[in-house]
Amino acid sequence: MEIDERVAALGQERVDHRFKGTPPDAEGLTVAELAAQRRGLFDGGFTTPVLTLSAEALDHNLGQLERYTAGHGLRFAPHGKTSMAPQLFADQLARGAWGITLAQPHQVRVARAFGVPRIFLANEVVDAAALRWIGAELDADPDFELVVYVDSVRGVELMDAALRTAGTERRLDVVVEVGAGEGARTGARTAAEATAVVAAAAATTTLRPVGVAGYEAEVPQADPERVAAYLRDLLALTAALDRAGHFAAAGTIVVSAGGSAWFDVVADVFAKMPELSRPVLPLLRSGAYLTHDDDHYRAVTPFNRVPAEGALRPAFRLWAQVVSRPAPDQAFLNAGKRDVPYDLGLPRPLLVRSGRDGSQREAPGGLAVVKLSDQHAWLQVPPQDRLEVGDLVGLGLSHPCTTFDKWQLIPVVTADGAVTSYVRTFF
């Protein structure tokens, strides 16, 4: 069964108490049946808080990165751990993505359950049980392509032992992860260490070194110059490893980088890819682009530096209701830490919708979320503002990764307020 068929089957899931924000009177309908009703977000029985995705923003952002990567000669494996939504995986693959990037074996299991054919696992995996499953999955499907990070000789030893014990027949493709500097996250810290890792992997019968990868957002005190220097070193290491014959078993040499903050620098540096002995797969992995946001990623998107390339649009909007205004300068919304991200900035009030007549206005200056409790947002309110109990506040959010993981079923809303589909997440 192809990915589109498996995603379509999600429409047969029944709507019930598991999915917050969905209309109580939709209990028992399938997701497809509810979507077919095209209920209005504000008059269709949805309860607050409710997270929504803009259909138009999603389509725009999909097209934006499709054009960008094609225009810069890059292939694209967007980071799916951002959403863990197979429907969005399918949308990205349909718009030209090479595959999907993930970060944990569990996430790979989800993607494989929905038929994702190519996966870039941007993390080290030394768990024997996970590696046994990976080996079995590779052997069961000759067309399945999987690339995994490795950054230590000990990691090679553990991977090799697990795969040999499992009797895995296919070799697992690995890329050596190059660390972004002292104090950064994972990755071999020196060229000598990276070379030792690749040599150790090549000496096994279970692993096949196929390239080099890194994550430039971890460069200490990152700026365009430091990020570019790190990426040039990554390319130089790739060329040196290739000259030494370490990728002799590879059909294609994978060179990968690219979060959502510096993909313009990745494009510039990768455009100067050295001549290698085999065809190159220059793989960008940005994931937050799909929904973008109203704070963190809006501030750091590369399109701020290169506006001629286009722009991304925030797709999330969370609607919460004013449930208390105990003081002239204070109000409380019925959404808190369980509902909104707060690790990279608090939600930002953007719109106010009257509970009396449904009229909508821009949030006034000075209206701000200043604190979150588990189920409440603390609003600072301009004392003379007419905000009252029963009004709805549309919140702009920061950080897609910690938005998706709080919602299992997310309405997709068109500009006229109709809910036309639902995105199912698996965290």
Side-chain angles (χ1 to χ4, degrees):
M1 189 183 298
E2 298 298 322
I3 184 170
D4 290 336
E5 296 176 87
R6 298 187 191 194
V7 167
L10 286 172
Q12 300 310 305
E13 193 168 12
R14 297 286 172 180
V15 178
D16 58 24
H17 60 276
R18 291 170 297 163
F19 306 129
K20 60 185 179 180
T22 53
D25 67 348
E27 179 107 6
L29 294 177
T30 66
V31 172
E33 289 169 341
L34 180 56
Q37 293 180 356
R38 294 178 63 92
R39 295 195 184 196
L41 178 65
F42 300 111
D43 61 7
F46 292 88
T47 61
T48 56
V50 59
L51 178 70
T52 67
L53 283 165
S54 162
E56 292 83 4
L58 286 175
D59 183 67
H60 171 84
N61 294 344
L62 281 165
Q64 182 66 28
L65 261 291
E66 179 184 19
R67 291 186 294 273
Y68 184 87
T69 51
H72 287 275
L74 300 169
R75 300 301 302 276
F76 195 29
H79 220 314
K81 61 91 178 173
T82 301
S83 69
M84 286 307 297
Q87 176 182 331
L88 299 180
F89 296 171
D91 290 343
Q92 291 168 310
L93 292 170
R95 300 295 286 265
W98 170 89
I100 299 296
T101 295
L102 296 164
Q104 295 289 355
H106 161 70
Q107 297 169 358
V108 178
R109 289 181 63 194
V110 171
R112 288 299 291 162
F114 285 88
V116 174
R118 291 193 184 109
I119 295 172
F120 188 93
L121 180 46
N123 204 351
E124 283 70 25
V125 180
V126 295
D127 181 293
L131 287 162
R132 287 196 297 272
W133 176 83
I134 285 171
E137 195 74 4
L138 287 169
D139 287 348
D141 184 356
D143 295 325
F144 174 40
E145 296 180 40
L146 177 67
V147 180
V148 181
Y149 274 5
V150 65
D151 73 351
S152 67
V153 172
R154 175 59 176 159
V156 168
E157 293 169 351
L158 290 169
M159 296 175 80
D160 178 50
L163 294 169
R164 280 190 292 104
T165 300
T168 301
E169 296 179 3
R170 286 181 63 189
R171 294 175 74 179
L172 173 60
D173 287 348
V174 295
V175 290
V176 61
E177 183 191 7
V178 179
E182 291 303 319
R185 206 167 62 186
T186 51
R189 290 292 192 264
T190 67
E193 290 174 356
T195 301
V197 171
V198 173
T204 72
T205 58
T206 58
L207 304 177
R208 182 173 70 158
V210 297
V212 177
Y215 181 47
E216 72 289 340
E218 286 295 324
V219 171
Q221 299 177 308
D223 61 25
E225 292 72 27
R226 290 185 177 92
V227 168
Y230 164 69
L231 293 168
R232 287 193 293 268
D233 287 346
L234 188 147
L235 295 190
L237 174 62
T238 304
L241 292 171
D242 184 41
R243 287 193 300 271
H246 291 300
F247 302 134
T252 300
I253 296 176
V254 179
V255 185
S256 180
S260 294
W262 298 103
F263 57 73
D264 58 326
V265 183
V266 174
D268 288 345
V269 174
F270 278 22
K272 304 174 182 67
M273 188 73 63
E275 189 74 26
L276 300 177
S277 65
R278 284 157 177 73
V280 178
L281 179 66
L283 202 58
L284 190 72
R285 306 193 307 271
S286 311
Y289 85 96
L290 183 56
T291 59
H292 201 41
D293 69 13
D294 281 290
D295 189 6
H296 177 77
Y297 282 104
R298 190 168 190 166
V300 303
T301 176
F303 293 120
N304 291 340
R305 294 186 291 273
V306 283
E309 296 269 18
L312 297 172
R313 299 177 185 171
F316 280 126
R317 186 72 73 245
L318 187 129
W319 290 94
Q321 194 163 35
V322 180
V323 294
S324 177
R325 189 169 178 184
D329 62 349
Q330 188 178 49
F332 290 86
L333 303 178
N334 63 344
K337 293 179 181 178
R338 310 292 186 189
D339 312 299
V340 297
Y342 52 93
D343 58 319
L344 290 179
L346 292 173
R348 180 182 302 173
L350 299 176
L351 299 167
V352 176
R353 184 180 178 89
S354 171
R356 293 182 184 271
D357 60 14
S359 61
Q360 192 163 290
R361 60 189 172 99
E362 290 187 4
L367 186 66
V369 175
V370 295
K371 181 179 176 181
L372 292 174
S373 298
D374 285 352
Q375 307 293 173
H376 292 93
W378 299 53
L379 273 185
Q380 176 181 289
V381 185
Q384 303 308 314
D385 189 76
R386 62 185 186 273
L387 185 77
E388 64 178 347
V389 171
D391 288 352
L392 298 177
V393 177
L395 298 172
L397 305 179
S398 181
H399 199 186
C401 298
T402 51
T403 300
F404 276 108
D405 65 3
K406 293 171 171 51
W407 295 83
Q408 294 184 24
L409 193 68
I410 307 172
V412 178
V413 184
T414 56
D416 63 0
V419 178
T420 58
S421 64
Y422 295 81
V423 168
R424 181 73 158 92
T425 65
F426 292 85
F427 281 92

